Amino acid sequence: MERRVSMVFRSLAEPQTLGGVERRLAIVNGTLAVATTVALWSFWYLPIAWGIHRLLKWLTKRDPFFREIYVAYNRHADVYEPWPDGGFDRPHGFGRGLPW
């Protein structure tokens, strides 16, 4: 019996990056840097933008999906009620009908 081998390309499985940072975050950081520098003649923002880019690069290197994880975490509720919803019934054998 012959084993089937499928290739998985990292470029298709991981988010696109620009300069080692996720594409969306790099574009937002670069746009803010250019807008602040050109419109306000505030050259002091360039080292800050470079530092932000280095921080985002470090975070992307640790976990390429850190933005998606943070967005999912941010959507969670702050407090969950301990009481089940009216429409939720546990299956038999998983605590359904027990006194607690």
Side-chain angles (χ1 to χ4, degrees):
M1 189 164 145
E2 191 175 329
R3 281 183 75 178
R4 181 178 177 180
V5 177
S6 299
M7 295 179 61
V8 177
F9 296 98
R10 288 183 63 191
S11 62
L12 298 175
E14 293 183 0
Q16 294 179 352
T17 59
L18 286 174
V21 177
E22 188 180 350
R23 189 170 178 261
R24 287 181 181 180
L25 297 175
I27 289 173
V28 167
N29 189 29
T31 303
L32 286 175
V34 169
T36 304
T37 304
V38 171
L40 302 176
W41 290 91
S42 300
F43 294 103
W44 56 268
Y45 187 73
L46 291 176
I48 294 172
W50 180 80
I52 291 171
H53 185 82
R54 297 291 295 182
L55 174 68
L56 292 173
K57 185 175 180 179
W58 176 72
L59 288 171
T60 304
K61 194 174 198 179
R62 287 188 66 198
D63 186 2
F65 299 100
F66 81 93
R67 188 186 64 82
E68 286 87 1
I69 293 169
Y70 176 74
V71 168
Y73 171 76
N74 203 21
R75 289 183 182 159
H76 288 176
D78 292 333
V79 176
Y80 287 100
E81 293 295 325
W83 316 113
D85 294 337
F88 177 72
D89 289 329
R90 293 183 182 168
H92 289 288
F94 289 95
R96 183 174 184 180
L98 294 176
W100 63 79

